[in-house]
Amino acid sequence: MKRIVKCFGALAFLLISGTKSFAQEDSTYAQKLGYPKDAKVVILHVDDVGMSFDSNEGAINAITQGVANSCSVMMPCSWVPAFVHYLKQHPQIDAGLHLTLTSEWKEYRWPPVAGVKAVPGLVDQEGALWPSVEEVVKHASADEVEMEIRAQVEKALKMGFLPTHLDSHMGTLFGSLPFIQRYLKVGMEYKIPVMFPAGHASLIQVHNKLDPQLVQGIRLLGKQLWASGLPVLDDLYNASYGWEPDAITAADTKKLQAFKTAHYIEALKEIKPGLTMIIMHCTQPSPIFKNISESGPTRQGDLLAMIDPALKKALEDQRIVLVTWRELMERRKGR
């Protein structure tokens, strides 16, 4: 459920009749920001911060004790204030907004920030956000989506939390073309970088089996983001949530760490030169986390991988350049 949904097909509608195709540029967005041509520039990004106490602990530990260097916060959730308080004491942490339009767990739910009456199409019979991307696309209007994501940005700003970037929980904002347009519109208006892989998009093409013409549409939008003064990703790696350990591995911390670390090391080999964001869900699961989700082992595995010296060594051996969204925006302002 945490994957960026395979809805990039909506971008087909961007290819208006008569639009001429164009070749991919030789330079990457990383190069445009001043990085060497062959550099693998990577953001190791933790999703779902603020969702629970356990999520907060996992993100903090992955960043302060490990190699993760960015995260994003789910503003409708209950543990957001605790993380924002921590951010104010540690302002160097790169933290954005995990724009949230779904509430996917059965027993632990959250309503929209804008209020149930303001965005009725985003709300199910329990008064919470819909559980799935498909239900949001079916019931919510683009106006309601924009109202809600603006409310989440404004809530963060009112709390004294200036997000370094915007991204999308469960990929919901990639679920339809109108949603994508509002997502990019809000980012450009607030001058906040937006997670949007619009460079060579090598992994996105493979993992989502995209038609080359659709990739052209993605790149067209990337050009708009860049022209607005925002940095743009070349690619996105979002496979880690699918690396599920078997029961024996999940029950043994050392085996779990080795399992997840090996996957991340292989992922580093797979990415191409350019600017790539790698998504994970680092969590330090307490005994009650199983009452929220059964995903505790894979989330704990992400955390264990980030603090594994073997992964740090792999980053050094492969000469990976780690970068934050804050640093990217600083570079973009200088271009």
Side-chain angles (χ1 to χ4, degrees), residues 35-322:
Y35 294 99
K37 182 178 181 179
D38 61 347
K40 291 184 178 182
V41 185
V42 172
I43 303 170
L44 292 173
H45 188 271
V46 183
D47 279 359
D48 291 4
V49 184
M51 193 264 281
S52 65
F53 172 81
D54 310 59
S55 302
N56 288 359
E57 290 295 289
I60 290 168
N61 290 339
I63 292 172
T64 61
Q65 299 177 28
V67 293
N69 62 348
S70 184
C71 64
S72 57
V73 181
M74 298 174 67
M75 294 307 294
C77 297
S78 300
W79 279 87
V80 168
F83 190 76
V84 172
H85 297 161
Y86 181 85
L87 272 183
K88 290 180 178 180
Q89 297 175 343
H90 303 83
Q92 77 281 3
I93 289 180
D94 191 70
L97 297 187
H98 200 42
L99 296 171
T100 303
L101 299 173
T102 50
S103 179
E104 67 271 32
W105 309 121
K106 182 178 179 180
E107 307 294 346
Y108 173 46
R109 312 291 313 284
W110 45 82
V113 170
V116 172
K117 292 183 178 180
V119 288
L122 282 171
V123 179
D124 69 7
Q125 65 275 13
E126 294 185 353
L129 293 166
W130 292 103
S132 72
V133 175
E134 292 77 14
E135 287 167 306
V136 179
V137 173
K138 179 179 179 180
H139 295 284
S141 69
D143 286 343
E144 289 172 314
V145 166
E146 181 176 343
M147 182 178 294
E148 176 58 20
I149 63 178
R150 284 181 181 276
Q152 292 181 23
V153 173
E154 289 295 333
K155 179 179 178 180
L157 296 176
K158 188 173 183 179
M159 295 177 75
F161 166 25
L162 178 60
T164 59
H165 64 285
L166 306 176
D167 59 53
S168 177
H169 181 55
M170 293 175 65
T172 311
L173 287 164
F174 294 85
S176 76
L177 175 60
F179 290 6
I180 294 170
Q181 291 173 323
R182 301 304 178 93
Y183 169 54
L184 301 184
K185 173 187 174 183
V186 170
M188 290 187 285
E189 181 178 320
Y190 280 91
K191 300 296 182 184
I192 300 175
V194 174
M195 182 199 76
F196 195 75
H200 57 69
S202 301
L203 297 173
I204 287 295
Q205 290 184 65
V206 172
H207 294 167
N208 293 278
K209 299 179 181 178
L210 297 185
D211 183 276
Q213 194 176 30
L214 300 185
V215 178
Q216 289 186 18
I218 294 170
R219 290 179 182 144
L220 283 171
L221 282 181
K223 287 177 178 290
Q224 292 179 29
L225 279 176
W226 181 263
S228 76
L230 298 179
V232 179
L233 293 175
D234 286 299
D235 211 351
L236 182 69
Y237 195 103
N238 192 37
S240 67
Y241 204 73
W243 302 335
E244 295 185 6
D246 59 31
I248 294 175
T249 301
D252 186 313
T253 300
K254 289 185 178 179
K255 290 181 179 179
L256 180 59
Q257 184 176 47
F259 170 79
K260 273 299 184 87
T261 298
H263 275 288
Y264 278 108
I265 291 174
E266 287 304 309
L268 294 176
K269 296 176 183 177
E270 186 178 350
I271 63 176
K272 307 298 182 184
L275 175 57
T276 303
M277 179 167 155
I278 299 179
I279 294 176
M280 64 201 69
H281 302 81
C282 300
T283 299
Q284 183 64 65
S286 67
I288 65 169
F289 190 78
K290 64 180 180 294
N291 296 309
I292 295 177
S293 167
E294 296 178 352
S295 63
T298 193
R299 291 168 178 263
Q300 183 182 23
D302 284 346
L303 170 57
L304 292 171
M306 290 304 107
I307 63 175
D308 192 336
L311 181 58
K312 183 177 181 180
K313 184 177 186 301
L315 289 165
E316 295 170 350
D317 290 346
Q318 296 190 42
R319 298 182 179 179
I320 302 296
V321 179
L322 294 181

